[in-house]
Amino acid sequence: MSVPKAKPQRIPKPIKWLVLALLLGFVGGVAMGIGGALYEEGLFPAATRYMLPGVAILGLIGAVGSMWIGYRWMQSIDEAAQEAHKWAWYWGGSGAMALSMIMLFIGMTPISKTIAIPSAFSGRTDPAAYAATGALWLLMLMIAGYGIAWGIWWLRRR
């Protein structure tokens, strides 16, 4: 009696695209880091002329690519998992965004002049660095809220 051979498992296409996106993001990040280091050392003074469009194009490719990968991935999972992710993003992401309003209100008060908030970008203190730091913190809060809400959704249904 012969045992049938198992078919080799193929990696699903959305995962292949995710790996490709991560690889492109890594390569783009390394290239931007090298360009920034060369600029800081004065070895490549024209770097800033090419960095802004390069970062914008890389960001656009990343945003469109991640939306496409997310769309394909959501189609590939079952209805319960889809509902869990939608619920988690709605409640977790929205709840975190509402909590971030606390920082917005604190920033509106006169006492906020005395608060020293470190920039997440090499100690820069320009308005663009602070805006990017705020966006980074908001994104981190929303992802944390999503993770917590996703866990709650599954725990309530187990």
Side-chain angles (χ1 to χ4, degrees):
M1 184 166 162
S2 67
V3 178
K5 287 187 175 183
K7 289 174 81 174
Q9 295 231 341
R10 291 181 41 197
I11 299 173
K13 284 186 180 182
I15 292 177
K16 288 179 185 177
W17 285 107
L18 177 62
V19 170
L20 178 64
L22 289 172
L23 182 64
L24 286 174
F26 176 76
V27 170
V30 168
M32 292 299 165
I34 290 171
L38 291 174
Y39 174 75
E40 291 293 323
E41 295 295 322
L43 300 173
F44 188 38
T48 53
R49 183 180 327 153
Y50 303 109
M51 277 182 101
L52 184 60
V55 169
I57 290 169
L58 190 63
L60 179 63
I61 290 170
V64 171
S66 65
M67 290 296 292
W68 183 76
I69 289 168
Y71 172 75
R72 295 289 308 256
W73 174 72
M74 280 294 276
Q75 288 181 324
S76 71
I77 60 177
D78 65 7
E79 188 177 350
Q82 286 179 0
E83 189 59 33
H85 288 289
K86 288 188 284 187
W87 191 88
W89 270 121
Y90 180 76
W91 290 107
S94 299
M97 198 176 345
L99 284 176
S100 70
M101 289 176 59
I102 296 168
M103 290 307 293
L104 176 65
F105 294 145
I106 289 172
M108 292 177 174
T109 63
I111 193 82
S112 66
K113 290 182 195 178
T114 62
I115 300 172
I117 300 172
S119 171
F121 300 96
S122 303
R124 288 178 31 201
T125 57
D126 56 287
Y130 281 127
T133 300
L136 178 65
W137 275 102
L138 178 59
L139 180 62
M140 289 181 358
L141 276 174
M142 290 177 75
I143 290 171
Y146 160 79
I148 292 166
W150 184 81
I152 290 170
W153 192 92
W154 281 109
L155 287 173
R156 290 168 84 191
R157 283 154 180 77
R158 295 282 169 184

